[in-house]
Amino acid sequence: MSPAELARQREDERQRRLEEERQRIDRLRDKALLETYPNLDDIEVQQRRAELEVERDIEAARKREAELRQARVALDREAEFYARRPMPPKLAKDLRDNELELLAQKSVIDSKRRQLEAIRARYEEDRQRYQEILERRGAHAR
């Protein structure tokens, strides 16, 4: 066998092993999916549960953000009093802290929104995969 033929044979064998491994992983993933969800409706229930948890977190962060904005209005009103004279250090610190906390809440909300999108994508993928498994099983049963 020539070196080129030997190299091609090795590459073919490597590709065959990779494909076998991919199929093994797919079978394990399918099995885990079927064990996790007894039916398609259960996927919907689990998705809604996961979404609700994140939506509650978003609502809490929005509520905190509203409280901070309200506090900011009061701080700004107080700061106006010091427009022509030095602002007390505590007020300056409170203004900075308020701004940082508002930024933190915005970051939390953005993160939770991305988490919500990821949940939806994951469950959609699970739903599609589950449907494919059911269709394959139906085809084999015929």
Side-chain angles (χ1 to χ4, degrees):
M1 200 176 281
S2 74
E5 291 172 327
L6 192 57
R8 188 171 6 99
Q9 183 182 12
R10 280 190 217 137
E11 178 59 23
D12 289 346
E13 179 62 23
R14 186 181 77 77
Q15 290 296 328
R16 185 187 62 73
R17 283 193 310 268
L18 285 172
E19 179 59 23
E20 286 174 356
E21 180 62 13
R22 186 195 62 74
Q23 289 176 1
R24 185 185 73 76
I25 290 169
D26 283 349
R27 283 190 304 274
L28 288 172
R29 201 171 105 202
D30 290 353
K31 182 179 182 223
L33 192 63
L34 292 170
E35 288 173 357
T36 302
Y37 307 113
N39 56 54
L40 279 169
D41 290 339
D42 204 45
I43 294 173
E44 299 293 330
V45 169
Q46 293 294 332
Q47 178 179 353
R48 194 63 201 133
R49 215 176 271 158
E51 287 174 343
L52 282 172
E53 184 176 326
V54 175
E55 287 168 352
R56 272 188 242 126
D57 292 345
I58 290 171
E59 187 55 37
R62 283 186 177 147
K63 183 178 178 186
R64 178 66 183 138
E65 185 181 44
E67 291 168 357
L68 289 166
R69 289 188 192 287
Q70 192 173 11
R72 182 61 186 227
V73 169
L75 289 170
D76 285 342
R77 244 186 271 126
E78 187 177 346
E80 286 175 10
F81 183 71
Y82 296 99
R84 298 194 190 274
R85 50 190 167 147
M87 185 180 301
K90 181 178 179 344
L91 179 57
K93 179 186 179 310
D94 289 347
L95 283 165
R96 277 192 311 276
D97 290 350
N98 180 275
E99 184 62 30
L100 291 174
E101 209 172 331
L102 274 168
L103 290 171
Q105 290 305 313
K106 182 184 181 327
S107 177
V108 166
I109 291 168
D110 290 345
S111 173
K112 292 295 181 178
R113 284 184 181 149
R114 284 190 302 276
Q115 186 179 355
L116 197 55
E117 290 170 15
I119 287 169
R120 289 177 178 147
R122 185 185 118 221
Y123 280 98
E124 181 58 31
E125 182 181 317
D126 284 354
R127 200 173 4 271
Q128 288 176 357
R129 184 80 178 178
Y130 198 96
Q131 189 65 44
E132 289 171 8
I133 294 167
L134 293 178
E135 289 170 5
R136 278 197 314 261
R137 285 184 168 189
H140 290 314
R142 293 178 196 160

